[in-house]
Amino acid sequence: MPMNTRFGARHGAAGSRGIHDAPQRLPTVVIGAGPYGLATAAWLSAAGTPRRVFGEPMECWHANMPEGMFLKSVPAASSLSAPESGYRLEDFRTARGRGPVGDRYPIPVEEMIAYGRWFQERRVPELERRRVRTVVPVDGLFGVTLDSGEEFLAENVVMATGLVPFAHEPAELAGLLAAERVSHTSRHRDLGRFSGQRVAVLGAGQSALESAALLHEAGAFPTVIARAASVAFGSPPDTDRPCDRPRPVRILKPGSPLGPGWSLLACSHGGRAIRRLPQGLRLRLLHNVLGPSGGWWLKERVDDRIPVLCGRTVRSAGVEDGMVRLELGGMDTGGRTETLRTDHLLLATGYRVDVDRLELLAPELRREVETFHGAPGLSSGFESSVPGLFFTGLAAAPTFGPVLRFVAGTGFAARRLAGSVAAGTRARP
């Protein structure tokens, strides 16, 4: 990689640490302090890898997930991975004087945020609560610039930046509405701001249905628009613990972090095998396994309370008489369009991995990353085609499968990534 002259020219400026002040063994940088960043840092620490970890602990969860939401994952599948015992969700609850919970307990997002911060304080105390501004290529290494102006070289960079950079807006809606009239669910911590307003929620999954429920409970008037023929809700667990299920049931549908069933078991533990599948099949697994549905505890908060228009797509959007005008079409409209007037369009349209949207990576660095459908192609150790540049969390899900969409995937990801960095392996077997 070429030397970036702008990076080198700034070294020696007041308040920054120069290249020549770097330690003999350059650090590995972890960018992001959500579940995947924290778990990776914990495993790097256990391996004795020099590292610097940057970010606000659980920032995405705190700033970009609505107050009052619950995790879809059960407690047994919601612990951050650490190389030692004592850091699971149940350990956090015990430390806070709370009793044990089973799989019928929906985890409030506020509890998950508190747990992640507790994990960080005890297992990743070296976290620096500063932002990385840019990462540029510098002679086979990485030049890292912080928002404080400090610059230094790193041998490896781990991108653990979470969901928000990949928030998806359907192409057919791009540019049709002003920013104050349309937004993605990831932009809202407090849905109470829509109290008294009519809000169209586009989507059929957990985000759409839970956002609609929270809007309704905050005094708004939501309408869900779903392309699917119907919306689905999960079933409550048979028992609080998978081991309490009858043996024949466990054989027919074995338990896994993603839920009961052989296919979910394979996706939970088969990341290495999934990586070797054809790209198209991997993407279908990612999108179809645990497809759009709401948690079992959402059903009573949505049914008979919130209008749901199924089999519909938004054909056009605009503003008329101070209101958002949506023209809807679908299978059961006989080719006709329906008009829905609302104050705001809320996009619960999920996330699409696209390396080009990671703007803190220099453009020349992004161009060097080999991608498929926007996602980075990764080695078995989570390394991209750029030696020393690693991706984890959702960015790695197109390579290793749907378990990387959930906290349960931190064990597989953090162990393998940290092991690859510690071994200094840059091969792509």
Side-chain angles (χ1 to χ4, degrees):
M1 300 180 202
M3 169 69 79
N4 184 287
T5 55
R6 288 178 299 169
F7 177 85
R10 284 196 299 267
H11 281 281
S16 65
R17 189 167 68 192
I19 290 177
H20 302 294
D21 297 325
Q24 187 173 9
R25 187 177 175 191
L26 297 169
T28 290
V29 169
V30 179
I31 303 175
Y36 279 86
L38 294 175
T40 299
W43 282 88
L44 287 170
S45 171
T49 302
R51 68 210 166 277
R52 295 184 72 178
V53 188
F54 298 100
E56 287 290 332
M58 303 297 285
E59 180 180 25
C60 171
W61 291 68
H62 173 74
N64 302 98
M65 297 188 183
E67 294 174 333
M69 73 164 271
F70 293 88
L71 272 65
K72 196 173 180 181
S73 302
V74 298
S78 299
S79 292
L80 280 65
S81 177
E84 314 91 351
S85 62
Y87 298 98
R88 296 182 59 81
L89 177 63
E90 61 194 65
D91 300 310
F92 162 74
R93 290 185 58 85
T94 298
R96 293 294 174 90
R98 304 172 186 174
V101 292
D103 285 354
R104 292 174 177 169
Y105 173 75
I107 305 171
V109 68
E110 290 78 12
E111 181 174 341
M112 189 65 191
I113 293 168
Y115 162 54
R117 291 172 173 171
W118 175 89
F119 181 100
Q120 178 269 311
E121 291 170 357
R122 286 155 180 78
R123 194 59 192 77
V124 192
E126 69 271 22
L127 175 72
E128 300 178 55
R129 300 175 74 157
R130 292 187 282 173
R131 293 185 183 277
V132 173
R133 185 190 301 163
T134 57
V135 179
V136 301
V138 181
D139 291 342
L141 300 170
F142 301 95
V144 180
T145 302
L146 306 182
D147 57 3
S148 64
E150 180 188 350
E151 297 174 333
F152 62 94
L153 289 177
E155 184 177 7
N156 304 292
V157 169
V158 179
M159 298 295 293
T161 48
L163 303 174
V164 175
F166 305 127
H168 174 62
E169 177 180 344
E172 59 270 22
L173 294 177
L176 294 182
L177 295 171
E180 66 269 16
R181 294 290 187 176
V182 60
S183 59
H184 193 273
T185 51
S186 63
R187 298 183 192 175
H188 299 289
R189 173 66 174 159
D190 179 15
L191 290 172
R193 57 163 288 194
F194 294 109
S195 180
Q197 297 184 41
R198 286 173 285 184
V199 182
V201 182
L202 185 61
Q206 173 75 11
S207 178
L209 298 172
E210 188 168 24
S211 293
L214 291 169
L215 285 164
H216 173 74
E217 292 157 6
F221 303 95
T223 299
V224 175
I225 304 169
R227 179 177 299 174
S230 62
V231 295
F233 296 90
S235 300
D238 297 331
T239 63
D240 261 335
R241 298 187 303 166
C243 62
D244 291 337
R245 300 161 66 220
R247 181 178 174 82
V249 175
R250 281 184 280 143
I251 293 174
L252 184 64
K253 287 190 173 184
S256 80
L258 297 183
W262 285 102
S263 62
L264 296 181
L265 181 67
C267 287
S268 296
H269 301 289
R272 294 181 66 184
I274 289 173
R275 175 180 168 269
R276 296 184 179 277
L277 296 175
Q279 292 177 3
L281 180 53
R282 275 188 274 148
L283 291 175
R284 286 198 295 275
L285 282 173
L286 181 63
H287 295 144
N288 296 335
V289 172
L290 294 175
S293 67
W296 61 268
W297 36 266
L298 264 179
K299 186 175 176 63
E300 65 179 10
R301 296 168 59 191
V302 174
D303 278 359
D304 301 321
R305 295 171 182 265
I306 297 168
V308 179
L309 303 179
C310 292
R312 308 292 204 281
T313 59
V314 178
R315 293 186 174 176
S316 66
V319 177
E320 182 179 270
D321 298 328
M323 300 287 290
V324 175
R325 177 189 172 105
L326 302 175
E327 298 294 335
L328 310 179
M331 299 178 296
D332 57 353
T333 61
R336 302 183 310 276
T337 59
E338 304 170 80
T339 300
L340 178 65
R341 289 180 172 82
T342 186
D343 294 297
H344 193 86
L345 175 59
L346 187 63
L347 303 176
T349 44
Y351 303 85
R352 300 276 180 89
V353 178
D354 186 350
V355 170
D356 276 340
R357 300 180 71 174
L358 296 174
E359 295 182 355
L360 64 84
L361 294 179
E364 61 269 31
L365 195 52
R366 281 179 265 150
R367 286 193 294 269
E368 286 192 48
V369 178
E370 295 178 5
T371 62
F372 61 100
H373 297 276
L378 302 176
S379 74
S380 59
F382 287 73
E383 190 173 24
S384 73
S385 59
V386 176
L389 180 61
F390 296 78
F391 293 83
T392 188
L394 181 65
T399 297
F400 295 101
V403 73
L404 272 294
R405 291 163 42 197
F406 302 92
V407 174
T410 57
F412 170 77
R415 283 195 301 269
R416 295 190 65 80
L417 196 160
S420 179
V421 170
T425 54
R426 293 189 173 184
R428 298 172 57 81

